[in-house]
Amino acid sequence: MEIDALKTVALVAQQGSFAAAARILDMDPSSVSRSVATTEDALGFRLFQRSTRKLSMTEEGQAYLSRITPLLDEFDHAKEAARQSQSAPSGTLKLTASVAFTDTCIVPLLAQFQQMHPDITVELLPTDANLDLAADAIDLAIRLAPAPKGDLISTKLINTRYLVCASPDYLKTHPPITRPSDLSDHNCLRFAMPEFRRRWKARDQQGTVQEVPIFGNLIIGSPLSLRQAAVQGLGPVLLADWLVAQDIAAGHLVPVCTDHDWTVTEFDTAAWLLYPSRSYLPQKVRVMIDFLKAQLPISVG
């Protein structure tokens, strides 16, 4: 029995249909169906129950697949490890992150990464939705959160903080912001999410947390656009440090009330690298993880 035929069976089970598996394999659905039928004949039992509406696994098929799937994964890992031991990292690496993090932190590093690893093709998927790594065949994701959840393998990329900033011109022409409550008298720039619209949280050095009501007649659904609006002098804004670090360094934005920590949800947050839970990490993913860990603290610090 061929390994490729067993992999096809596993893919059909994962996708729940011959057609979906065929699209991934770039095959005709009838060819996938014949491959599964041939495998069933060789095994002597049915793997799937077929009907006009759905495809489901038999009890025997579930038991069989649960035993062979780890073996198929290990076969691929062994093959990949042997190949990589004799060659430079290569292949297509699918990486997803939020739109703002992609534009601010990832894209500026791509030229250096490609120079170091010319045989790796990077496919970037900027989105503010949390994509399914398995369903979308994603190798690596960057998520911004207090702590990752789920069964994915994770490693911390960078700690993140939120800062309240305004442009120098704005600060020259408006009342000073020396304490959190002063923000209630300013036309703040607000992010278009429910929890971001009405209040920010400030924590002083003694750990006391206060909620600061905010008001403003400009609500924007993009962190990148919020940053640009702040640079243009339209008001104070609350944004992640990695997003405003370069503008602060260039003098385009000035942080205020720096003796407080700021947030809307949680104070302790980070950018996390997530990848599918498996025993072997492809070399192309490993070199990207190592590269990002080495470069990002320098790039956004």
Side-chain angles (χ1 to χ4, degrees):
M1 193 177 304
E2 294 186 0
I3 295 293
D4 288 343
L6 294 177
K7 289 182 181 179
T8 299
V9 168
L11 184 61
V12 170
Q14 180 191 60
Q15 296 296 316
S17 75
F18 294 126
R23 285 193 294 271
I24 294 175
L25 296 171
D26 195 22
M27 295 172 58
D28 188 272
S30 61
S31 298
V32 173
S33 179
R34 284 195 300 271
S35 176
V36 172
T38 300
T39 303
E40 290 176 327
D41 289 342
L43 292 171
F45 57 85
R46 296 186 70 82
L47 295 165
F48 298 96
Q49 295 286 4
R50 300 159 174 83
S51 71
T52 56
R53 292 188 176 182
K54 66 176 184 178
L55 184 74
S56 60
M57 295 208 74
T58 64
E59 184 177 347
E60 296 84 0
Q62 289 177 338
Y64 180 74
L65 196 62
S66 68
R67 298 286 297 272
I68 70 165
T69 298
L71 300 177
L72 293 174
D73 289 342
E74 188 59 33
F75 179 85
D76 285 341
H77 298 160
K79 180 180 177 181
E80 182 72 5
R83 184 184 67 81
Q84 291 181 357
S85 67
Q86 299 178 345
S87 61
S90 63
T92 298
L93 172 69
K94 293 182 72 174
L95 170 63
T96 185
S98 71
V99 175
F101 198 91
T102 299
D103 287 358
T104 305
C105 300
I106 304 299
V107 171
L109 299 175
L110 289 180
Q112 183 179 355
F113 182 81
Q114 289 184 325
Q115 185 177 14
M116 295 172 61
H117 304 287
D119 296 329
I120 296 179
T121 297
V122 178
E123 182 176 344
L124 275 181
L125 303 172
T127 176
D128 294 327
N130 287 340
L131 301 180
D132 187 315
L133 271 61
D136 295 301
I138 294 170
D139 297 294
L140 190 61
I142 298 174
R143 300 271 167 84
L144 305 168
K149 299 178 180 179
D151 59 354
L152 297 172
I153 301 299
S154 63
T155 182
K156 185 182 290 186
L157 178 57
I158 53 172
N159 289 313
T160 61
R161 296 175 56 225
Y162 281 85
L163 302 173
V164 177
C165 302
S167 73
D169 289 341
Y170 179 89
L171 294 174
K172 288 177 183 177
T173 56
H174 291 80
I177 306 172
T178 59
R179 56 186 179 178
S181 59
D182 291 338
L183 287 165
S184 297
D185 298 326
H186 288 260
N187 192 31
C188 295
L189 301 172
R190 297 187 286 164
F191 187 38
M193 291 184 67
E195 62 268 31
F196 283 76
R197 288 172 178 256
R198 294 179 177 84
R199 57 105 178 101
W200 297 339
K201 292 181 182 179
R203 182 175 64 187
D204 64 21
Q205 296 177 357
Q206 287 71 45
T208 302
V209 176
Q210 69 178 106
E211 293 193 353
V212 182
I214 60 165
F215 308 93
N217 58 9
L218 188 56
I219 301 172
I220 303 177
S222 162
L224 292 169
S225 298
L226 274 173
R227 180 185 67 182
Q228 187 61 28
V231 170
Q232 294 299 320
L234 298 182
V237 69
L238 176 67
L239 290 171
D241 54 354
W242 52 262
L243 185 55
V244 295
Q246 294 183 12
D247 288 311
I248 291 173
H252 300 150
L253 290 175
V254 178
V256 299
C257 293
T258 55
D259 56 343
H260 285 72
D261 296 321
W262 291 90
T263 190
V264 171
T265 54
E266 303 287 339
F267 285 98
D268 299 318
T269 60
W272 298 86
L273 291 162
L274 280 70
Y275 46 94
S277 179
R278 52 189 176 188
S279 59
Y280 177 75
L281 189 63
Q283 192 179 14
K284 61 184 179 182
V285 179
R286 169 52 59 196
V287 296
M288 176 60 85
I289 290 175
D290 292 342
F291 174 78
L292 292 176
K293 282 187 172 183
Q295 297 300 322
L296 274 180
I298 298 172
S299 299
V300 302

